[in-house]
Amino acid sequence: NAGVTQTPKFRVLKTGQSMTLLCAQDMNHEYMYWYRQDPGMGLRLIHYSVGEGTTAKGEVPDGYNVSRLKKQNFLLGLESAAPSQTSVYFCASSSTGGRANGYTFGSGTRLTVV
Amino acid sequence: SQQGEEDPQALSIQEGENATMNCSYKTSINNLQWYRQNSGRGLVHLILIRSNEREKHSGRLRVTLDTSKKSSSLLITASRAADTASYFCATDAGSNNDMRFGAGTRLTVKP
């Protein structure tokens, strides 16, 4: 039972490069989320999805794009990476939006933009 | 923006002692959740308490909720070195079907 799997686990990008982070869940969850975690700031929501084919902006969406073409996958894209996007990125999923039960998190992607 | 704020930011205790962490929040909630994060790992859901509940237990964990004070506490009894982690509270005050997380309490349990 894999739960939520994030790839890659680590990545170093140069400013201006692009990349895609992949999140895959095998729990048939409707809701999926991308958060970033920075020291002293907790987790901040980037984008989220309430079902296959849907996406919506969270608190800090600028510089990121997402897609949810399949229910089990949620992709986070950085079109032109900036040093301010250096962070740890977490994907989470939930069957009911987290308000009735908790989130299941992936183990994170540590991204450094130089 | 963060909804929950944990206090203290860091806590260091000896194995066997109890650890208490607090969370304050600003707006009305339907539920509050606590998560644990071990170093370099993702967050793990520990317990959920609803706004009409005052106390909840799960093993060595005890969570209380005081909606009049907009605060919650997480008590870990008889702590172990393996409890060393960061603990986050999260509330459902987000407007995006999401949970809002605080910055966490870093707990160190010394053997």
Side-chain angles (χ1 to χ4, degrees):
Chain A
N1 185 4
V4 176
T5 303
Q6 290 184 233
T7 53
K9 295 190 184 306
F10 303 93
R11 186 73 185 268
V12 178
L13 283 181
K14 293 182 179 178
T15 298
Q17 287 185 321
S18 63
M19 77 165 295
T20 300
L21 284 68
L22 172 63
C23 176
Q25 53 96 2
D26 62 0
M27 298 167 288
N28 202 36
H29 284 172
E30 290 292 337
Y31 293 75
M32 296 187 75
Y33 306 84
W34 276 107
Y35 285 90
R36 59 178 288 173
Q37 184 177 35
D38 301 293
M41 298 190 71
L43 279 77
R44 292 181 292 168
L45 182 66
I46 305 171
H47 285 280
Y48 68 101
S49 168
V50 300
E52 181 178 312
T54 76
T55 63
K57 295 180 180 179
E59 289 180 79
V60 289
D62 293 343
Y64 305 95
N65 57 74
V66 287
S67 65
R68 184 126 180 244
L69 299 178
K70 294 183 178 180
K71 187 176 184 179
Q72 64 266 35
N73 295 336
F74 195 28
L75 279 64
L76 177 70
L78 286 74
E79 292 185 345
S80 179
S84 61
Q85 294 178 303
T86 292
S87 187
V88 182
Y89 292 85
F90 287 100
C91 176
S93 71
S94 174
S95 57
T96 58
R99 296 187 173 187
N101 27 61
Y103 288 178
T104 301
F105 278 87
S107 58
T109 295
R110 185 173 295 274
L111 175 66
T112 302
V113 183
V114 297
Chain B
S1 60
Q2 294 169 209
Q3 162 70 339
E5 291 189 8
E6 292 89 346
D7 173 64
Q9 292 184 342
L11 179 62
S12 181
I13 60 174
Q14 293 294 134
E15 206 165 28
E17 294 180 338
N18 295 341
T20 299
M21 289 158 272
N22 303 297
C23 171
S24 60
Y25 56 92
K26 298 174 183 175
T27 60
S28 297
I29 60 171
N30 294 303
N31 77 61
L32 184 144
Q33 303 175 23
W34 285 91
Y35 288 77
R36 182 187 74 235
Q37 183 182 33
N38 291 94
S39 182
R41 307 296 296 273
L43 281 72
V44 174
H45 182 256
L46 295 176
I47 197 164
L48 179 154
I49 186 165
R50 303 189 191 286
S51 59
N52 62 351
E53 298 174 310
R54 292 295 168 260
E55 188 170 313
K56 207 162 182 181
H57 297 256
S58 177
R60 293 184 296 111
L61 306 181
R62 172 179 169 247
V63 169
T64 62
L65 180 63
D66 187 335
T67 53
S68 67
K69 294 182 179 178
K70 291 185 169 59
S71 67
S72 173
S73 66
L74 170 66
L75 168 68
I76 304 174
T77 60
S79 63
R80 306 166 182 168
D83 295 326
T84 294
S86 292
Y87 292 83
F88 296 85
C89 69
T91 62
D92 67 340
S95 57
N96 299 315
N97 285 303
D98 66 302
M99 302 295 292
R100 294 294 173 95
F101 290 82
T105 292
R106 173 72 185 165
L107 172 66
T108 301
V109 181
K110 300 176 183 177

